[in-house]
Amino acid sequence: MGNNRTLVLIKPDALKRRLSGEIISRFERKGLKVIGLKMLKLTKPQAEKHYSVHKSKPFFGDLVSYITSSPILAMVLEGRECIQVVRNLLGATDGSKASPGTIRGDFSNSIQYTLVHASDSEESYKHEVSIYFNNEEILDYQIEGENLI
Ligand code: CMP
């Protein structure tokens, strides 16, 4: 493994609580690079495609309603072991179980309102990124000193 990319959504609850800057800052301070970023309001078909693995879950309908209820930020992050590093920064899905110091451990006490979504594998990244970004919207660039992080 080495450098990889992940798809992050800063979800409606995070924007409503004015936490998007705090969350992006945690990714940047860790040394991850933002290589794609946009605000959008998801359509129902996009949400159903994104969460297709949860289609049979009892909370699927509520999940789609919630993620389409107001704008979100979609981001592509890049860095060393980025998929795993971002999952670690997020903490456990259930905020009541997430460790202090993680984003959910510090700001969520819910299993539904989890503030942030991030891809859990290379396979999910490929599935998810295509819903939000085309190739021209993901920028390949270097930052001076980035290898020091
Ligand atoms: P996310 O990381 O975006 O991936 C799936 C989402 O489903 C999760 O965050 C939560 O928002 C939601 N979710 C997971 N488990 C439950 C649950 N038991 N009840 C309601 N929502 C859930």
Side-chain angles (χ1 to χ4, degrees):
M1 294 301 285
N3 264 33
N4 61 25
R5 294 175 176 184
T6 196
L7 185 282
V8 167
L9 301 182
I10 300 187
K11 304 205 283 189
D13 49 322
L15 270 89
K16 287 176 183 166
R17 292 177 56 196
R18 317 293 203 262
L19 286 171
S20 47
E22 166 76 34
I23 292 167
I24 293 170
S25 172
R26 289 184 178 218
F27 298 139
E28 289 190 317
R29 280 149 55 197
K30 182 67 179 171
L32 303 174
K33 186 161 64 174
V34 179
I35 59 169
L37 175 64
K38 63 170 72 169
M39 179 178 250
L40 74 158
K41 192 157 180 287
L42 265 189
T43 63
K44 194 164 178 247
Q46 283 176 315
E48 287 174 347
K49 184 172 178 193
H50 178 110
Y51 284 123
S52 54
V53 292
H54 296 300
K55 210 173 174 71
S56 60
K57 306 267 174 64
F59 57 81
F60 184 70
D62 286 344
L63 178 57
V64 170
S65 304
Y66 148 61
I67 200 76
T68 57
S69 64
S70 72
I72 60 169
L73 297 180
M75 308 171 62
V76 181
L77 297 176
E78 183 179 74
R80 182 166 171 264
E81 305 289 356
C82 190
I83 292 173
Q84 189 56 50
V85 166
V86 169
R87 303 283 297 178
N88 294 345
L89 290 172
L90 261 51
T93 302
D94 183 343
S96 74
K97 299 190 172 69
S99 302
T102 63
I103 292 168
R104 291 170 180 151
D106 290 349
F107 300 115
S108 164
N109 202 17
S110 169
I111 196 166
Q112 181 175 12
Y113 302 115
T114 56
L115 301 167
V116 193
H117 166 86
S119 314
D120 62 7
S121 64
E122 290 275 0
E123 193 187 359
S124 3
Y125 168 71
K126 286 191 186 111
H127 169 70
E128 292 167 5
V129 74
S130 68
I131 299 170
Y132 302 92
F133 292 93
N134 59 44
N135 287 341
E136 294 73 45
E137 293 170 325
I138 298 174
L139 305 179
D140 213 355
Y141 65 99
Q142 303 300 312
I143 299 173
E144 196 178 339
E146 67 183 22
N147 295 334
L148 300 175
I149 300 170

